[in-house]
């Protein structure tokens, strides 16, 4: 489906690879100005800028978990941009371990990036959106937050937290025509799950009704839809894109 996001400004956290890259790319192709943020890899970010040099792309490197860095990013953002139509809170990490063996640092890192990062970014984004009385916040959660997978207590807690955060924030900003929703991707072929052992991959695939992992574009399709003006009556909810998992 074609959308027209000409004149829109979109921030996608973790937007230079995987699911975030697919979402950023689709917004760029529909005419939006996109700021793809990232934390680690300059090379990947530069490749993305090169690949989309004909489009309105920029990148920004900072840690979404660090509220000072997020504030500095938005200070700069508001100097160079008139409005913000869409924020996609996509940045996320996994540090799996059973609870009894989980280092406290791994607990905090996963909560800070996935959940506190969503809060940090949303807090400043809604300030940009309120005045214009329009906005879309899309948070990328996970089925782990709903089902809980063994070895993912930190990740499951963070992802379930995003769902609760989404419901509360959606009620706070609905009057300003800002919608807040989650997308819950099933297993999507990206770097994030590259470390899964082959036997586990086989086991997971056989448990998915459509019998395969999804692609980043399966998620970006839904992000395009949720961002559209036509989706104004959808808020505070989660759309599951899991192949029936
Ligand atoms: P990925 O590992 O390819 O990309 C993650 C992105 O997040 C990277 O661009 C990275 O730079 C960024 N990031 C990580 N920590 C950051 C921080 N502290 N500050 C700023 N940026 C940071 O992963 P993938 O698969 O594209 O995941 C995207 C989102 O989708 C994540 O939130 C993940 O939890 C979620 N998800 C992924 C699934 C999958 O099967 N791939 C399934 C369910 C949810």
């Amino acid at each position: 489906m074609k959308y027209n996001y000409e004149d829109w400004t979109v921030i996608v956290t973790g937007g230079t690879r995987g699911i975030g890259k697919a979402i950023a790319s689709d917004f760029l192709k529909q005419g939006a100005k996109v700021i793809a943020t990232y934390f680690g890899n300059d090379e990947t970010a530069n490749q993305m800028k090169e690949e989309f040099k004909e489009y309105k792309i920029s990148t920004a490197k900072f840690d979404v978990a660090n509220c000072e860095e997020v504030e500095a990013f938005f200070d700069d953002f508001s100097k160079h941009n008139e409005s913000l139509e869409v924020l996609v809170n996509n940045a996320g990490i996994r540090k799996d371990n059973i609870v009894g063996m989980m280092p406290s640092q791994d607990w905090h890192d996963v909560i800070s990036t996935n959940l506190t990062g969503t809060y940090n970014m949303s807090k400043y984004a809604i300030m940009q959106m309120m005045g214009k009385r329009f906005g879309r916040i899309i948070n990328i959660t996970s089925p782990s937050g709903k089902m809980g997978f063994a070895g993912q207590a930190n990740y499951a807690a963070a992802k379930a937290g995003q769902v609760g955060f989404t419901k509360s924030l959606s009620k706070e900003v609905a009057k300003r025509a800002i919608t807040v929703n989650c997308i819950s991707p099933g297993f999507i072929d990206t770097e994030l799950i590259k470390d899964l052992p082959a036997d586990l991959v086989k086991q997971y695939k056989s448990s998915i009704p459509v019998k395969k992992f999804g692609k980043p574009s399966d998620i970006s399709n839904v992000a395009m839809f949720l961002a559209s003006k036509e989706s104004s009556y959808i808020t505070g909810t989660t759309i599951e894109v899991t192949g029936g998992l």
Side-chain angles (χ1 to χ4, degrees):
M1 188 158 170
K2 268 250 170 236
Y3 298 95
N4 184 358
Y5 294 130
E6 269 320 314
D7 302 326
W8 282 35
T9 303
V10 175
I11 298 170
V12 184
T13 67
T16 61
R17 71 179 215 195
I19 293 170
K21 181 179 179 183
I23 296 172
S25 309
D26 277 358
F27 275 116
L28 287 165
K29 289 176 193 161
Q30 316 284 347
K33 177 178 178 183
V34 173
I35 298 122
T37 87
Y38 68 105
F39 189 36
N41 195 329
D42 294 320
E43 204 184 316
T44 312
N46 290 336
Q47 276 166 9
M48 167 110 183
K49 272 212 297 208
E50 181 58 26
E51 190 180 337
F52 289 92
K53 63 182 177 209
E54 311 296 328
Y55 297 85
K56 291 176 267 179
I57 184 170
S58 58
T59 56
K61 184 180 185 179
F62 62 91
D63 181 0
V64 293
N66 181 316
C67 62
E68 282 86 25
E69 289 184 30
V70 171
E71 189 175 8
F73 165 76
F74 275 100
D75 272 353
D76 188 63
F77 175 88
S78 53
K79 285 182 194 136
H80 299 100
N81 296 279
E82 308 235 308
S83 63
L84 173 64
E85 278 71 30
V86 184
L87 166 67
V88 183
N89 284 309
N90 164 78
I93 54 168
R94 278 176 46 221
K95 290 192 178 181
D96 296 354
N97 213 328
I98 54 170
V99 171
M101 302 292 286
M102 186 182 289
S104 141
Q105 191 60 46
D106 288 3
W107 168 267
H108 286 292
D109 288 348
V110 170
I111 299 285
S112 303
T113 301
N114 294 277
L115 181 56
T116 310
T118 298
Y119 152 74
N120 285 339
M121 292 297 295
S122 302
K123 178 176 173 173
Y124 291 98
I126 54 174
M127 289 182 204
Q128 305 282 329
M129 293 170 174
M130 291 276 213
K132 300 275 176 182
R133 293 189 163 267
F134 180 82
R136 299 280 183 260
I137 297 179
I138 300 169
N139 299 321
I140 309 298
T141 180
S142 162
S144 190
K146 189 174 168 186
M147 299 157 74
F149 292 127
Q152 288 201 328
N154 49 359
Y155 186 74
K159 293 303 191 183
Q162 275 183 310
V163 173
F165 176 84
T166 297
K167 287 178 190 292
S168 286
L169 181 60
S170 70
K171 293 185 169 77
E172 293 175 14
V173 297
K175 277 199 295 249
R176 303 283 182 132
I178 300 168
T179 68
V180 192
N181 290 291
C182 287
I183 302 174
S184 180
F187 291 97
I188 306 294
D189 236 330
T190 68
E191 289 294 321
L192 190 81
I193 59 167
K194 280 273 182 297
D195 62 339
L196 292 178
D199 56 332
L200 211 53
V201 168
K202 208 169 155 201
Q203 186 192 319
Y204 284 149
K205 281 189 182 165
S206 72
S207 70
I208 302 168
V210 303
K211 303 290 175 212
K212 60 179 182 185
F213 285 179
K215 303 184 295 298
S217 60
D218 293 319
I219 309 307
S220 63
N221 282 334
V222 180
M224 293 305 109
F225 163 71
L226 279 177
S228 69
K229 289 200 166 147
E230 289 72 23
S231 296
S232 61
Y233 205 61
I234 304 173
T235 196
T237 196
T238 299
I239 299 187
E240 298 183 1
V241 189
T242 62
L245 185 71

